[in-house]
Every structure is written in C-alpha cells, then in structure tokens.
Amino acid sequence: MMKKNFIYGLSVALVCFVGSSCSKFLDVEPEEVLVKEQMYRNIYDADAAVIGVYGKLLSLAEQHVLWNELRADLLTVTNRANPYLQEISTNDVGAISADNPYVNPRKFYEVILNCNDVLANFQIMREENKFTPEEYNQRYSDIMAVRTWVYLQLGIHFGRVPYVTDPLDDTDAVLDKGKYPLLEFEQLLAQLITDMEAIPYKLLYASTESLMYAVDGYDMERFYINKQALLGDLHLWNNDYQRAAEYYKLVMTSYDNLGNDNFRYDRYKIKWAEVSTNNDIAVGYLRYREQDVRTLINSKTQGWRSMFSRTQDVLWNTEWVWSLPFNSNFSPQNPFISLFAANGGDHLLKPSLESLDLWNSQTQRNGVPYDARRDLSVSMIGQEGVVSKYTDEFSDIGTMLPIDKFQRNGKWHLYRAAKLHLRFAEAANRDGHHKLAVGLLNNGVGRIYDDPNQSDKTDIQQTHLPFPYDFDARNGNNPHYRATWHRNDGLRGRAYVTFREINPTDSLTQVENYLIEEAALEMAFEGSRWEDLLRIAMRRNDPSFLADKIYEKLSKEGNPRADAVRSKLMSRENWYLPFNWEQ
C-alpha cells in the first residue's frame, strides 16, 4: 500500500501544486486524492511533495527558453509569432508591454512558494521524527536547490527581485517591500551561495532512496537537479573560479568509482567517436566515406543528434546531467511542440540568421565548410529552419510530420556534459590554466599534454596539477595505461570540427571568447545563451560583448531598431526585464 501510494503520488503530484486540490486536473475517486490534511505524514507523502515541486517546475520551461534564447542572438521569431514574442526577440526592454504574459515572473514565485511550503513542512516532519536524518537531509537539500535555481534565473533576467523564504498562501504578498525588499543581483547571488553551501547533502539521492524508482519507463536519476553543478554555476557567476571548478569536477568524476570501467571512462567525459559503428553521440560519417557529406550520421538512434531523442540508454546517461520529461497524459503540456514544430505545432520560433552564420563559419576536419551540428540541430522547411532538438521526439526526421499527433511527449533539456565541460574550462581558464581549458575545448586532455615522440606515457598525457585540475588521460601500451580520461576527445574533437589556434599573448580573453562561441555552436537553443552573454559582459564590465551580439541578430533580420536596441543595451539597466506582475 505504501508503494502504491508513492507511485500514485508521482502521477498526481506532477500536475498539482502541493497543498491544492487536484480535482480540476484529474477525474479520480475521492479516496485517491491527496488533500493537504493527508500530506506530510510519512516518507511517501514527503516523496509526493518532492515530485510535486518538480511538476510545478515544469511550468517554467517555456519562459526559461524564451528568456535565455529568444532574448539572445541564436533564436528568433517566424512571421506567425504574436507581438509579445516579437517584443522578447527584439529585446528592447523599455518597449515590452505591461501585459506581456511571457515576461511575468509570477509562475516563478509560485514555484518558490511551493518550495517554501515543502521546506517548512519537512522541518516539522523532522522535529516529529517522521524522517530519519538521512531522509530529511536529502529531500530538504533537493528542494532548497530547486528554489535556488529558480531564484538564480530571476536574478539573471530581472536584476532586482524580492527574496522570500516564508511559505505564503497569497502569491501577491511577495510584493510587500516592507517585508521583502528587492535584492540586487550581487546580493541575491551571495545569499544563494550561502543557502546552498549550508545544505546538509550535496550529492544525488542515494540509489536506495524511495525517490529513485523508474516511473512509466523514466529513470528518475536524472530527474533531480544536480546540486554540485548548481553550486559550480553560482560560484562561476561570483567569479570564484577555483571553487566553481571544484564543484564541476566533482560532477565530471561522480561515476568514476561506480559500476564498471565504462562508467569511469565515459560518463561526463565527452568521449571519442566510435568510428567503426557510429554507436555514439559524436558527429561522424560512415567509415572510409568521410568525404561524402551524404554519409553524415543524422539519426535519432546514432550520432550527435540522437542525444536529444534517444531513450535513456547507456549513451544517454553519458551526456545528460539534468533532464525533465513531459508526458502527454499529464499537465503541464509540452510547450516546445507549439513553439518549434512546423507540422503539429505553430512554428513560432526559428534559428536566427546569426546562428546559421556561426555554424557556417566553421570547418569540419574533412574539409566541409560548415559545422555539421547545424544540420543536426536544425531541419529546413523551405527557407525557414525548425529547431529539431525540441521536435525529434514528436516528428519524423524525413518529413517532419508528427509520429503521433496525440503523443506530445518530450524533454526539457537543462544540463548536460558539454555544458559542464565548457563551464569548467571557463573557470579553469580564468584561474590561469589556459592549456587545460584549450584541451577540453579542442581535442582532449591527453592530446594537449602528450609528446608524440615518447612511447612511454608514464609522465605525460596528464596535467600533474592538484585538484580540481588533476586530469590523467594516459593511453599507452609500453607500459600499458588506460587512465580515467583517456577517451576524452574535447568538444571540438567530438564535433568533428577543426581545432582552435591560441595566441599565447592574449590567451585568457581569446580562450574565453572561444568557449562562449563553442557553447553557442554546441548548445544553441537549450536555454543557456543569455546567461553566457550576460555573465561575460558583467565579468568584463563590457556591455558591448552582449549588445553587439543582439545587434548582429537584429541587423541581419533587417530590423530597423537594431541600432537603437544596441545603444540601449550599452547600459546595464536595460539588460533586465521589467518586473511586471499583474496581468
């Protein structure tokens, strides 16, 4: 009965705000409904509350992508987009309508208040001994991390926000400035770091925990936020580079002592291509036919593209750190089909000309003059592109017609190994380890620390640096070595594009520029672009780093406001969305 209640709680909680009636979502028998008086009695009620938070978090997916991608330079609107989406794409914050529903932060605070309620009740449960200390520590820390992530997003996009930790019944009470004064982004960031460093448990849930079941074919291990990756991001924003690198490295090596050698060599390591079978998530061609562009592995089950649509198999688990699923049978519904799909959706958004030009400026190692990630991220219908990262689970690759128009499943892609490596490299580069950063960017740690004239790899192919910069990629036969990082191929190595040449006289800035550009090539449309542009502009105190990229997007579209928007973005106050609450 307890297991039944837990599994049922998963399904109900995914569509319900914890503590609210679910009758408007599901037609179920009264005895099956979890009302507030029945919550927080035992561990299974607590688990349902945790899943309920994540169900509520899913409602933020649409705004998260619009804020982080449509505001930036890689995504734009089609001629079917409504005026509200056009306002976000133009990014003239002073011209955004007060009733623009995509800008309203209310949903974000609903998640925060949900977290506050759960955290308060978890503390009560702990005091009443309804938890073991281990059960409490893991669940409390998880919900605190979700709340922190939501606050970080609010700070990035609004600049000054109320910081509320009370479990409020009325969402509008957030606006009480007497109780909840606005915190500037730097103040908020300091508070979030304090919150997260104080949590009692920073790992994933233990495999023995009741929250680690597979539900409806979905393995819950990647369902929960990775707290160490979040801590890495917080410290990166705070320009504490070594601390950021330490947390990122813990994630990169989190499977090194679990399972077999393939866990250690492959998970979160950006491993090399399997050129003979193409059973990988790398950019590749049929073996011995690499000069024939028609043999590019463009598939849902093999190669780089497949990471966005393949099942949660061994390869999927080597890349994904955090991914939340949408299920056609439950609310909220997948918003990305409407935004991106050309058949079965409204196709409101498309890749910008700037994004296509960026891919077209690259060269593959077989001499082909564009980055193949262009064709693996975007499918063309006539002159317009469709972002396939969000539609491949819904549409057929060849025709782009819905596989089943009633099945609108999909995923919210939140964090993966490529982002982890790029941000670790960003921190390492700023901490003076340019060579290591370049190795992770180009073709792997082992190659950049190699001496091809030495067959004995005992003292090469490794960094000889202290944690977190200690990488051992030895791959030798005389004597035999197969060290943890020997399969690491670097971001551009895995992407099959030529490697960056670094000018040693200005390596810090040049490497950083290359890393941010690589993030665009690798992770376009996945919800990180505005964050990257803003973080670098703030760090360098250089508004033009952000303003110029938005200008390029608008200018190439022939937008007559391109110059005016660039001028406005040269002032930091115009980087942030208006905090419009009422609709």
Side-chain angles (χ1 to χ4, degrees):
M1 178 62 70
M2 295 176 80
K3 178 66 178 293
K4 176 186 174 185
N5 287 343
F6 170 61
I7 297 300
Y8 182 74
L10 293 179
S11 299
V12 174
L14 277 170
V15 297
C16 300
F17 183 87
V18 173
S20 299
S21 170
C22 300
S23 59
K24 65 182 179 180
F25 294 108
L26 296 175
D27 182 15
V28 296
E29 296 299 320
E31 63 269 23
E32 295 282 10
V33 176
L34 297 175
V35 297
K36 189 166 187 177
E37 289 73 19
Q38 296 173 302
M39 294 295 291
Y40 305 112
R41 299 167 302 180
N42 53 45
I43 188 64
Y44 299 102
D45 289 346
D47 288 348
V50 170
I51 301 301
V53 167
Y54 281 91
K56 192 69 177 175
L57 183 67
L58 273 170
S59 68
L60 308 185
E62 181 179 46
Q63 284 177 282
H64 176 258
V65 170
L66 293 178
W67 292 358
N68 283 296
E69 296 295 341
L70 189 57
R71 292 189 70 198
D73 57 335
L74 306 178
L75 193 66
T76 190
V77 293
T78 68
N79 58 14
R80 290 168 288 281
N82 60 50
Y84 295 131
L85 290 174
Q86 293 171 11
E87 289 176 354
I88 296 173
S89 183
T90 301
N91 211 354
D92 183 352
V93 295
I96 290 179
S97 302
D99 62 344
N100 189 318
Y102 303 112
V103 176
N104 194 320
R106 182 184 290 270
K107 284 185 179 179
F108 283 70
Y109 276 96
E110 289 175 356
V111 176
I112 288 169
L113 297 184
N114 189 178
C115 291
N116 292 348
D117 180 76
V118 172
L119 291 170
N121 280 285
F122 280 2
Q123 289 178 310
I124 294 171
M125 289 182 68
R126 179 70 188 97
E127 292 166 1
E128 295 176 351
N129 293 316
K130 295 177 179 178
F131 274 138
T132 66
E134 293 77 14
E135 291 168 343
Y136 167 80
N137 288 346
Q138 294 183 56
R139 287 156 183 80
Y140 184 91
S141 300
D142 185 28
I143 300 305
M144 181 64 79
V146 171
R147 190 182 78 179
T148 299
W149 182 88
V150 175
Y151 266 126
L152 178 61
Q153 289 300 310
L154 287 169
I156 287 168
H157 294 285
F158 292 94
R160 303 169 69 239
V161 297
Y163 178 72
V164 182
T165 59
D166 298 329
L168 305 176
D169 292 328
D170 180 9
T171 311
D172 289 335
V174 166
L175 303 179
D176 184 348
K177 294 183 180 179
K179 294 185 66 176
Y180 311 112
L182 300 180
L183 293 187
E184 300 287 348
F185 179 70
E186 289 81 2
Q187 296 173 297
L188 177 67
L189 185 61
Q191 181 63 58
L192 298 180
I193 290 172
T194 298
D195 292 344
M196 281 301 295
E197 289 290 1
I199 62 173
Y201 192 84
K202 295 184 174 70
L203 303 175
L204 296 177
Y205 283 106
S207 60
T208 55
E209 281 293 332
S210 51
L211 280 163
M212 292 296 278
Y213 289 101
V215 179
D216 295 330
Y218 191 86
D219 183 352
M220 300 293 282
E221 187 172 0
R222 300 295 194 277
F223 184 89
Y224 307 108
I225 189 170
N226 190 294
K227 295 178 281 293
Q228 291 172 330
L230 174 60
L231 276 158
D233 287 346
L234 291 170
H235 286 292
L236 188 65
W237 277 99
N238 198 42
N239 300 330
D240 188 345
Y241 305 117
Q242 178 162 334
R243 193 70 171 140
E246 288 172 356
Y247 279 115
Y248 291 139
K249 184 66 176 300
L250 289 172
V251 183
M252 295 160 81
T253 58
S254 55
Y255 288 91
D256 286 9
N257 297 312
L258 301 175
N260 57 33
D261 278 348
N262 288 330
F263 276 45
R264 179 161 59 103
Y265 297 153
D266 295 351
R267 291 204 175 187
Y268 304 156
K269 298 300 192 293
I270 310 295
K271 64 169 287 192
W272 60 39
E274 299 291 344
V275 296
S276 60
T277 64
N278 300 117
N279 290 326
D280 53 29
I281 49 175
V283 176
Y285 292 82
L286 291 181
R287 195 174 193 184
Y288 306 125
R289 297 181 61 190
E290 290 85 357
Q291 299 302 315
D292 185 349
V293 296
R294 296 171 297 179
T295 71
L296 175 70
I297 305 302
N298 191 350
S299 165
K300 292 185 181 184
T301 58
Q302 290 181 302
W304 191 90
R305 181 173 185 163
S306 71
M307 74 173 79
F308 300 99
S309 58
R310 68 188 307 128
T311 58
Q312 286 180 289
D313 60 6
V314 171
L315 283 174
W316 190 91
N317 279 312
T318 67
E319 183 71 16
W320 288 101
V321 177
W322 187 24
S323 176
L324 291 178
F326 291 99
N327 189 304
S328 299
N329 298 320
F330 303 110
S331 294
Q333 293 296 302
N334 182 352
F336 301 130
I337 292 172
S338 176
L339 289 176
F340 293 109
N343 291 303
D346 299 318
H347 194 207
L348 304 176
L349 308 178
K350 64 180 181 180
S352 67
L353 292 173
E354 173 66 10
S355 71
L356 299 176
D357 285 348
L358 187 58
W359 277 310
N360 290 338
S361 69
Q362 308 298 306
T363 303
Q364 296 179 52
R365 297 207 302 275
N366 59 1
V368 174
Y370 58 84
D371 189 329
R373 286 174 292 187
R374 180 196 70 184
D375 295 347
L376 305 177
S377 303
V378 175
S379 297
M380 298 303 295
I381 290 187
Q383 298 299 310
E384 288 196 317
V386 174
V387 175
S388 58
K389 288 181 177 181
Y390 291 105
T391 59
D392 272 354
E393 288 190 67
F394 173 72
S395 303
D396 175 73
I397 286 181
T399 64
M400 301 197 64
L401 293 171
I403 300 168
D404 180 344
K405 64 181 180 180
F406 298 109
Q407 290 297 318
R408 304 173 76 84
N409 298 337
K411 296 185 184 71
W412 182 10
H413 310 304
L414 282 157
Y415 219 105
R416 59 187 178 95
K419 182 174 181 176
L420 186 63
H421 279 233
L422 285 163
R423 292 198 169 174
F424 176 92
E426 181 184 330
N429 179 59
R430 278 280 167 176
D431 204 24
H433 299 290
H434 314 309
K435 182 176 180 178
L436 174 57
V438 173
L440 294 170
L441 170 65
N442 273 341
N443 61 340
V445 175
R447 293 183 183 91
I448 201 167
Y449 285 93
D450 193 15
D451 181 349
N453 296 317
Q454 292 190 39
S455 60
D456 184 347
K457 306 300 182 182
T458 303
D459 285 323
I460 57 177
Q461 294 184 325
Q462 54 187 311
T463 61
H464 291 297
L465 293 170
F467 180 84
Y469 305 117
D470 52 330
F471 288 77
D472 187 348
R474 285 176 290 178
N475 184 13
N477 295 317
N478 186 27
H480 182 86
Y481 283 105
R482 294 294 183 270
T484 299
W485 286 86
H486 80 274
R487 294 179 183 172
N488 173 242
D489 204 26
L491 268 299
R492 293 181 72 81
R494 188 176 74 167
Y496 199 66
V497 286
T498 56
F499 306 128
R500 299 294 197 183
E501 296 292 335
I502 306 301
N503 178 0
T505 62
D506 189 22
S507 55
L508 188 151
T509 302
Q510 187 181 44
V511 170
E512 188 166 81
N513 287 343
Y514 282 151
L515 290 169
I516 298 303
E517 184 173 293
E518 192 65 26
L521 297 164
E522 172 74 20
M523 300 191 301
F525 323 125
E526 295 178 40
S528 296
R529 183 59 169 170
W530 181 264
E531 293 182 13
D532 288 345
L533 299 183
L534 186 70
R535 189 173 61 256
I536 303 304
M538 291 176 63
R539 177 184 300 155
R540 297 181 184 178
N541 193 25
D542 180 10
S544 67
F545 185 84
L546 184 152
D548 287 346
K549 290 178 172 57
I550 308 305
Y551 168 81
E552 289 297 328
K553 165 187 162 177
L554 299 177
S555 178
K556 290 178 180 180
E557 294 174 355
N559 191 315
R561 298 167 67 185
D563 287 303
V565 170
R566 184 193 182 280
S567 295
K568 289 186 176 183
L569 290 173
M570 290 299 292
S571 173
R572 176 171 173 167
E573 66 185 21
N574 293 319
W575 294 348
Y576 300 113
L577 296 170
F579 199 85
N580 294 332
W581 187 264
E582 298 298 335
Q583 296 288 314

